[in-house]
Amino acid sequence: KQEVTQIPAALSVPEGENLVLNCSFTDSAIYNLQWFRQDPGKGLTSLLLIQSSQREQTSGRLNASLDKSSGRSTLYIAASQPGDSATYLCAVTNREYSTLTFGKGTMLLVSP
Amino acid sequence: DVKVTQSSRYLVKRTGEKVFLECVQDMDHENMFWYRQDPGLGLRLIYFSYDVKMKEKGDIPEGYSVSREKKERFSLILESASTNQTSMYLCASSLGLGEATQYFGPGTRLLVL
């Protein structure tokens, strides 16, 4: 059964720092990997989707990489801002029904 | 923009009540999903549907059922609500098999007393 782990569980940084969030998964037979953002009490917003054949995806200050063979992904946030404060969730898609298996998330706090 | 709506943001019910959580998407998506989210446990898949009248069990289907009579609507049913079903419930939809970008609704926070 697929398991997804995210490290660290929580992270606090001053504004302006570059940071890396980590995600690992146990079964490398994935369709793709997705990073989400969740604000407190809200639903999830998709940030980046990396297909299994891709190595990375970029959107603005966000860059996500995927190393399928080692079962790892990282989300790099450049020049962090207080508005980036949220919980970041990593999820992988299994091949059969495209269902997602989520990690438990990294809670990020960026202080001014 | 894809829009996924859920019928209630907050809901308070009593133990033993039958509870309906409704989810509607407006983008003609084939797949729809119900998750629950609990502190320390993350998001867990309850049920999903890849076509009208089709349903599949997720990781934690016990105590729940679902209904998908129309493509745009996916209902989660708690036949007899229990206190351990107090949770945040999130609905999502995606275009089809292989298209895994899931779009989430705002969530329903359910409290069972």
Side-chain angles (χ1 to χ4, degrees):
Chain A
K1 187 184 172 197
Q2 179 74 270
E3 291 183 8
V4 179
T5 303
Q6 290 187 245
I7 294 173
L11 183 63
S12 182
V13 300
E15 183 176 6
E17 275 203 10
N18 303 324
L19 56 100
V20 175
L21 307 181
N22 296 291
C23 172
S24 61
F25 47 95
T26 54
D27 184 353
S28 62
I30 62 170
Y31 229 142
N32 49 49
L33 182 144
Q34 203 162 354
W35 282 92
F36 292 89
R37 170 187 172 133
Q38 185 177 31
D39 292 292
K42 302 285 179 64
L44 277 67
T45 302
S46 179
L47 296 173
L48 290 164
L49 173 72
I50 311 177
Q51 301 292 348
S52 61
S53 58
Q54 296 177 319
R55 295 294 298 227
E56 65 178 335
Q57 281 287 331
T58 298
S59 176
R61 293 182 294 108
L62 305 179
N63 176 277
S65 68
L66 174 64
D67 183 344
K68 205 175 89 156
S69 61
S70 68
R72 295 179 188 277
S73 175
T74 61
L75 179 66
Y76 175 81
I77 302 176
S80 58
Q81 303 171 358
D84 294 330
S85 298
T87 296
Y88 291 81
L89 294 152
C90 165
V92 297
T93 307
N94 77 32
R95 290 190 167 272
E96 188 176 12
Y97 287 115
S98 300
T99 58
L100 289 171
T101 301
F102 283 87
K104 293 179 182 177
T106 294
M107 188 183 300
L108 173 66
L109 176 63
V110 182
S111 50
Chain B
D1 276 355
V2 176
K3 195 164 184 184
V4 180
T5 58
Q6 295 183 228
S7 50
S8 305
R9 291 300 309 275
Y10 301 95
L11 211 51
V12 180
K13 295 291 181 181
R14 297 223 172 258
T15 303
E17 280 193 71
K18 190 168 186 176
V19 181
F20 293 86
L21 303 182
E22 306 285 342
C23 176
V24 177
Q25 49 92 5
D26 67 357
M27 283 299 291
D28 203 34
H29 282 176
E30 293 166 12
N31 292 355
M32 295 188 75
F33 308 83
W34 274 107
Y35 298 88
R36 64 178 282 177
Q37 186 176 29
D38 301 286
L41 296 176
L43 274 94
R44 293 177 291 166
L45 181 64
I46 305 171
Y47 266 97
F48 64 102
S49 167
Y50 53 90
D51 202 352
V52 175
K53 297 193 186 293
M54 303 299 288
K55 60 185 179 183
E56 292 286 339
K57 293 179 180 179
D59 298 321
I60 51 163
E62 297 79 17
Y64 303 94
S65 62
V66 290
S67 171
R68 191 154 181 216
E69 296 295 321
K70 293 185 179 181
K71 193 174 186 180
E72 67 271 17
R73 187 180 297 269
F74 191 35
S75 302
L76 180 69
I77 303 157
L78 287 64
E79 296 288 344
S80 177
S82 63
T83 54
N84 63 13
Q85 293 179 309
T86 291
S87 186
M88 173 73 137
Y89 290 88
L90 291 160
C91 173
S93 71
S94 68
L95 186 57
L97 291 181
E99 172 50 66
T101 301
Q102 290 191 14
Y103 298 89
F104 281 78
T108 295
R109 190 168 292 281
L110 172 67
L111 173 62
V112 182
L113 300 173

